[in-house]
Structures are given as C-alpha cells and as structure tokens.
Amino acid sequence: MEPFLKDLFKGQTYDDKQFFLIAGPCVIENEALLLQVAEKVSGICKRLGIPYIFKSSYRKANRTSASSFTGLGDDIGLELLKKTGEKFSLPTTTDIHAHDEAAPAAGYADVLQIPAFMCRQTDLLQAAAHTGKIVNVKKGQFVSGPAMKFAVDKIRKAGNDKIILTERGTTFGYQDLVVDFRNIPWMKAHGVPVVMDVTHSLQQPNQTTGVTGGNPQLIGTIAKAALAAGADGLFIETHPKPAEALSDGANMLQLDLLEGLLEELVVLRKALVR
C-alpha cells in the first residue's frame, strides 16, 4: 500500500493485504442517510479488515436532466460529509467539477474525486493537486488506460504525488458501457493505485427518459473480475433503498447486500495474494 494511503487509513484496523473500499450513497440526500450508511459499512469493513473511505457527493453537476436533484447546497452538503467522517473516524471523498471548487471542498474532504468527463480538464486537475489532498481521477469513458498518464503527469507536475486512478467503464454505443479489464494493469503501470468503480461501470446512460439505467445484478461479477485483474481498491455506491435514491438508484447496490458481497471478495483477495 502506498504511504499516502497508509496515512489516510491511520486509526483504522485493517489487513494491509486487502483491497480498500470507497463506498457510500451517490449524493448527499440528508444527514440520516449518511449516518446510516457510514455506520453500517464501517462496521462491516472493521470486521473484515477492509480499509474504508466514505463517499458521497455534495453536488451532482453532471445529471442527465435539468430537473434531477443536484444537492442540498454546497455548504450544507460539505458540512454533513465532514460530520459523518468525524463521527465514524473515516476519511471521506466527494466529487469536484470546477477548479474553484477544489479549495473549498479540500476543507471538508480527504480525497478529491475528479469525474470521468472531467479527466482532461487541466485547470481542474492542477487546482485539485494544489490543495495537497489525495486526487482520485476517474478514467474518462472515452480514454484508454495508457492515455491516463497525461492526467497523472499534470498532477505530479503541479507538485502532488498522491494520485489514484479509477476505471469506470468505456462507452459502448450510445446507452451502454463495457469494462476493458486491460485498463487496470495499464493504469497501474503509471505507478499509482488503481480502483474499479464497480457501480458506475454498470450504468446505462443517456436514456430518453432522462434517468440513467443500470445493471446492478452484475456488481459481484465486475468486482471479482477487477480484483483478479489486480485492482487495489473497489468503489461501490450503496443505498438502503436504491429505488428511492435521488441519484443513480438504477446501478447502486442495496445496502443489505453489501456485507455478503464483501465477505466473498475478501476470500477472493486472500487467494489472489497468497
């Protein structure tokens, strides 16, 4: 595990040979939801020895429809994210979409996440790097793993070596994504930890209804294949009632299914690293 990740997980009890987990509801809907998910997932991860980063977006800027929920307001969302992390002693992460969001978000989150559509935005990557926080860049649906070296170089040249790359599927036609697992070793070759965004890679975007679809029944398949391909971490959005979620409900994992999946994945990881 990279030294910056060890620092991030300081205070957690975990197996350093395990994958790490980034998980939470897609968007900050209310305080009760954040506390419910963080308490449940942190308890599971503690029992299984999985280092854990709590994730939820304070703002959703890349919704299909203008009528979709985008957040409670920046200040409220960021305060709730920080409060949740502090209550359960967890590092936190959230998306940022513009260069002027980086510094404010860095005051509340430990990891700044760059959405896939934004992975080529130089000013955004540099602004995130300048905060000194860990920067997690999602690979664009239109970008190859080898080409992500340019995103890594931009952040490093801005003086920050704390970089994670995340695979989240590749555009396949207009309304589907596929996962090319070659991208995991290709991105690891850039000398950074690589995460598999399991749930977003199962989206079916650009639906004419204005609501993104998904294939959550394949979450286990993608997660297992990613670990076998060498992923260092997994990203899994989860919600107690995905059908009622205000964002990405069609591809999130139902919260009460997470524990069984993680138990299987821990066994697989141990077999892979023997």
Side-chain angles (χ1 to χ4, degrees):
M1 183 181 290
E2 293 285 340
F4 69 83
L5 287 177
K6 289 184 178 180
D7 288 341
L8 183 70
F9 297 125
K10 193 175 296 181
Q12 293 190 37
T13 301
Y14 62 89
D15 180 349
D16 62 6
K17 293 183 180 179
Q18 270 304 337
F19 60 90
F20 63 92
L21 178 69
I22 303 172
C26 180
V27 66
I28 296 172
E29 301 177 16
N30 55 66
E31 182 176 356
L33 173 66
L34 298 192
L35 297 179
Q36 179 185 359
V37 175
E39 181 176 25
K40 178 73 171 180
V41 181
S42 62
I44 295 169
C45 288
K46 184 176 182 180
R47 181 176 70 81
L48 296 177
I50 301 171
Y52 174 42
I53 303 169
F54 179 80
K55 184 268 169 185
S56 197
S57 296
Y58 74 96
R59 182 198 295 187
K60 296 297 292 184
N62 51 348
R63 305 305 307 277
T64 302
S65 170
S67 62
S68 296
F69 178 76
T70 58
L72 298 172
D74 292 358
D75 292 342
I76 295 172
L78 287 168
E79 287 285 358
L80 288 176
L81 181 71
K82 184 176 181 179
K83 181 177 180 179
T84 302
E86 289 176 346
K87 182 174 178 63
F88 297 100
S89 300
L90 296 171
T92 59
T93 186
T94 191
D95 300 273
I96 58 171
H97 304 85
H99 70 277
D100 57 358
E101 295 178 28
Y108 297 86
D110 302 285
V111 180
L112 299 180
Q113 181 173 284
I114 308 300
F117 288 128
M118 308 288 183
C119 71
R120 289 166 54 98
Q121 298 300 111
T122 302
D123 63 344
L124 176 58
L125 294 173
Q126 291 173 337
H130 289 153
T131 67
K133 297 288 185 173
I134 297 169
V135 183
N136 177 20
V137 187
K138 290 193 174 184
K139 182 186 75 63
Q141 299 91 326
F142 46 86
V143 179
S144 71
M148 286 299 289
K149 72 184 180 71
F150 298 108
V152 172
D153 287 346
K154 288 175 183 178
I155 297 169
R156 284 181 173 152
K157 288 177 180 178
N160 191 334
D161 287 321
K162 297 181 288 188
I163 306 164
I164 298 171
L165 293 180
T166 293
E167 164 64 28
R168 57 96 72 229
T170 300
T171 300
F172 187 69
Y174 289 111
Q175 295 173 324
D176 208 354
L177 298 169
V178 294
V179 178
D180 180 353
F181 288 99
R182 296 177 299 175
N183 283 316
I184 293 176
W186 279 340
M187 290 196 292
K188 284 173 68 74
H190 303 317
V192 300
V194 172
V195 170
M196 179 74 229
D197 182 343
V198 179
T199 45
H200 284 108
S201 69
L202 291 169
Q203 285 182 329
Q204 292 180 310
N206 305 317
Q207 300 295 315
T208 55
T209 61
V211 179
T212 297
N215 289 295
Q217 71 276 12
L218 294 174
I219 287 172
T221 300
I222 298 296
K224 292 169 187 175
L227 290 181
D232 301 290
L234 297 175
F235 178 111
I236 301 175
E237 289 190 332
T238 183
H239 193 286
K241 298 179 180 179
E244 299 177 13
L246 299 181
S247 177
D248 284 3
N251 54 268
M252 277 195 282
L253 180 67
Q254 188 169 312
L255 183 60
D256 63 10
L257 299 178
L258 180 64
E259 185 166 15
L261 173 61
L262 291 178
E263 287 174 341
E264 293 181 8
L265 296 174
V266 163
V267 173
L268 175 60
R269 176 71 171 200
K270 288 180 178 176
L272 291 168
V273 300
R274 281 191 306 181

